[in-house]
Amino acid sequence: MATCVRLPRCGAPRLRPALLGPRAGGGAPGPGPLRTYAPGLPAALLRTDSFVGGRWVPAAAAFPVRDPASGAELGRVADCGAPEARAAVRAAHDAFRGWKGALAKERSALLRKWYDLMMQHKDDLARIITAESGKPLKEAQGEVLYSAQFLEWFSEEARRIYGDVISTASREKRALVLKQPVGVAAVITPWNFPSAMITRKVGAALAAGCTVVVKPAEDTPFSALALAELANQAGIPPGAYNVVPCSRRRAQEVGEALCTDPLVSKISFTGSTATGKALLHHAANSVKRVSMELGGLAPFIVFDSANVDQAVAGAMASKFRNSGQTCVCSNRFLVQSGIHDAFVSKLAEAMRASLRVGNGFEEGTTQGPLINEKAVEKVETHVSDALAKGATLVTGGKRHQLGNNFFEPTLLSNVTRDMLCAREETFGPLAPVIKFHTEEEALVIANAADVGLAGYFYSQDPAQIWRVAEQLEVGMVGVNEGLLSAVECPFGGVKQSGLGREGSKYGIDEYLEVKYVCLGGL
């Protein structure tokens, strides 16, 4: 067993290098050597190789995965390139022939078994998420439950893929509509929800009868590989679920290989708008089906009629979950003049009272580190730009004393539309407040962005609620509510925030083709 070493700054221990032996009971070969990882991480779920065709496959090179809280190396993971990506696609393509022919009930049962295993290992999976992403353990536990629920949901949706019978104008003809799986799906996921973003896509794909190749984010590959281990234990057939991790250096190469491979029929991507556009360009040459959940710039509007305390509570939930690193986090707070000062004062008070920065494994931590140095620099840039242009610093505003990737939760007032924090997604713990006077003005500001993923507003006026909900140019609206994601509800945006929907009964349609069959001579 590895030896425990205490980290001097946060008190969280880490382990020295360990070599883990083969897994008992046969099956896929055991994982390769793990260099350094946090305490209590489950050896049985920590995998370092790619997972292709039901086997753990090493790569010629490996890349380090680091704890964003300390910078310590958690382990080294297979650094796959284009050849490995293409091999995974071939494995998925070979498996597709059998998987698409499985009964819906059979696919449902296997997804349900995968869900059951996630629930059995929920604490281990949460520790992996916290170790590689830095998010507080309580939030990681919530993500695991959310992630598993997508497998549960789509295990049920697998048996509800219905076709149609259409009446025709001819007595001799009958018209049928079939829904069939599109084929191999390439799934490219982000680091901020390293488990849930996989199951939300893969659950739908497998339920529909598709097979998948997952390229996880380079910062958080361990969650994807742990899910592969559990999928294997659940009996998901070899080749139906494949994982090809890679370093940042090879991400473009692997992404291009997946998007241009003629055996891939579907691309599903969550990430930045810029990367999404590049992947769309690659996918266009072979006209692949594409669904994308891209960047956001969520407005959070507080009208004079709002309950201030409720609005503050909603702002705290919406803004500071995962230290502001979610695509649906409120990015711009628009507060009407009559309630502005009270809202800013109460929000500042709530931030000082309830937000605690620290290592995600420490009890009581609500704000973990940002994912890397580049993320911290972006928050710093947005804060310094706003202050230089006349914003007022209410609280926070700099790197936290813990150093590394920690940043103080920050509140700015007197923010104007020309500031970077009002025009760009910050992806950090920064809450900029813009004062407005009329409903029309608020809608103009909110809808000025070229993206539209989520939006929030607080009002007690029923007529205003209908007007604003209908006029906000976003894919999802929270009315008097700061948290809106749910497995039963469609997730996605408009404008440059993406294409298609995930989750809900609509999510499975992204992986199905509609086929019309005309029966004649009757």
Side-chain angles (χ1 to χ4, degrees):
M1 295 298 291
T3 305
C4 181
V5 178
R6 286 281 169 184
L7 294 178
R9 175 168 296 156
C10 64
R14 66 183 180 184
L15 297 184
R16 287 200 175 117
L19 180 62
L20 302 177
R23 188 163 54 110
L34 290 176
R35 302 298 191 264
T36 307
Y37 55 97
L41 294 187
L45 295 181
L46 280 174
R47 295 289 187 164
T48 59
D49 293 333
S50 64
F51 187 69
V52 176
R55 295 182 56 81
W56 296 102
V57 182
F63 67 97
V65 179
R66 299 191 181 278
D67 173 5
S70 67
E73 185 176 296
L74 299 172
R76 300 184 69 83
V77 174
D79 193 3
C80 298
E84 290 85 358
R86 285 191 285 268
V89 169
R90 288 194 298 272
H93 186 261
D94 291 344
F96 176 62
R97 299 168 189 169
W99 184 245
K100 71 176 180 180
L103 295 176
K105 184 177 181 179
E106 294 170 339
R107 293 198 296 268
S108 174
L110 290 174
L111 285 170
R112 177 69 195 205
K113 178 61 175 176
W114 195 6
Y115 161 80
D116 290 339
L117 286 170
M118 282 194 70
M119 296 304 293
Q120 290 175 28
H121 294 275
K122 62 182 185 296
D123 292 333
D124 289 339
L125 293 170
R127 284 192 287 270
I128 292 174
I129 291 172
T130 293
E132 63 182 352
S133 76
K135 69 173 57 176
L137 185 59
K138 185 176 181 180
E139 287 193 18
Q141 291 167 340
E143 179 182 345
V144 172
L145 295 178
Y146 181 54
S147 176
Q149 285 168 3
F150 281 111
L151 297 182
E152 179 186 40
W153 173 263
F154 284 114
S155 74
E156 297 162 351
E157 288 298 291
R159 303 185 67 177
R160 292 195 282 265
I161 299 173
Y162 303 130
D164 252 326
V165 178
I166 301 173
S167 297
T168 70
S170 170
R171 297 183 186 277
E172 293 78 30
K173 294 180 181 180
R174 297 294 185 273
L176 307 178
V177 174
L178 309 180
K179 290 187 177 181
Q180 298 179 315
V182 299
V184 176
V187 170
I188 303 175
T189 58
W191 51 263
N192 58 336
F193 287 90
S195 181
M197 294 303 95
I198 291 175
T199 58
R200 190 163 72 185
K201 299 171 186 293
V202 171
L206 293 180
C210 298
T211 54
V212 297
V213 177
V214 176
K215 190 207 84 64
E218 59 273 11
D219 294 299
T220 55
F222 284 123
S223 291
L225 296 169
L227 287 175
E229 171 61 28
L230 295 180
N232 194 43
Q233 293 181 22
I236 301 295
Y241 177 75
N242 307 274
V243 183
V244 284
C246 69
S247 63
R248 184 171 283 104
R249 180 178 63 87
R250 307 192 78 171
Q252 183 175 347
E253 168 193 346
V254 171
E256 182 174 348
L258 292 175
C259 289
T260 57
D261 195 305
L263 298 181
V264 173
S265 300
K266 162 78 179 182
I267 303 294
S268 180
F269 169 73
T270 295
S272 72
T273 299
T275 301
K277 289 178 179 179
L279 296 178
L280 275 171
H281 175 78
H282 292 311
N285 288 331
S286 51
V287 197
K288 299 186 189 303
R289 286 278 296 275
V290 175
S291 57
M292 295 196 168
E293 190 260 284
L294 307 177
L297 193 65
F300 187 105
I301 307 172
V302 185
F303 291 103
D304 281 344
S305 67
N307 180 306
V308 179
D309 292 332
Q310 288 182 0
V312 168
M316 293 290 290
S318 174
K319 175 71 258 186
F320 295 106
R321 185 166 57 113
N322 200 17
S323 299
Q325 298 175 113
T326 83
C327 52
V328 293
C329 271
S330 298
N331 204 83
R332 302 168 290 160
F333 289 83
L334 315 179
V335 185
Q336 198 159 11
S337 54
I339 207 171
H340 174 275
D341 292 351
F343 176 84
V344 171
S345 176
K346 289 191 174 188
L347 180 58
E349 180 182 346
M351 289 170 62
R352 296 186 185 107
S354 63
L355 298 182
R356 180 178 181 272
V357 178
N359 187 292
F361 283 108
E362 293 179 344
E363 188 173 352
T365 293
T366 66
Q367 302 292 285
L370 301 190
I371 190 65
N372 52 38
E373 173 69 18
K374 186 177 179 181
V376 178
E377 291 174 353
K378 185 173 186 180
V379 180
E380 285 184 319
T381 298
H382 280 195
V383 172
S384 60
D385 171 80
L387 295 177
K389 292 176 180 175
T392 300
L393 179 63
V394 180
T395 187
K398 62 183 184 300
R399 295 188 187 224
H400 194 271
Q401 62 185 9
L402 288 175
N404 293 320
N405 297 324
F406 293 94
F407 200 89
E408 295 178 344
T410 300
L411 176 61
L412 300 176
S413 63
N414 295 319
V415 172
T416 55
R417 295 173 61 186
D418 62 319
M419 297 174 184
L420 288 176
C421 60
R423 296 186 287 113
E424 297 179 357
E425 188 175 30
T426 302
F427 234 64
L430 169 60
V433 179
I434 301 172
K435 182 188 291 188
F436 72 89
H437 297 282
T438 66
E439 178 184 313
E440 293 74 20
E441 180 188 3
L443 286 168
V444 168
I445 297 172
N447 292 336
D450 58 6
V451 292
L453 187 57
Y456 310 85
F457 70 93
Y458 278 70
S459 170
Q460 298 298 315
D461 180 341
Q464 183 176 62
I465 287 173
W466 279 110
R467 290 194 305 269
V468 175
E470 292 176 347
Q471 293 181 56
L472 274 179
E473 296 174 359
V474 295
M476 299 172 285
V477 179
V479 183
N480 297 323
E481 178 57 60
L483 297 174
L484 45 67
S485 298
V487 297
E488 303 87 357
C489 302
F491 191 102
V494 299
K495 299 197 261 191
Q496 293 187 37
S497 281
L499 303 166
R501 293 295 182 269
E502 294 184 338
S504 77
K505 67 177 184 179
Y506 304 103
I508 203 167
D509 289 337
E510 301 291 335
Y511 298 90
L512 293 169
E513 296 281 15
V514 173
K515 178 184 286 186
Y516 158 51
V517 179
C518 179
L519 302 179
L522 300 178

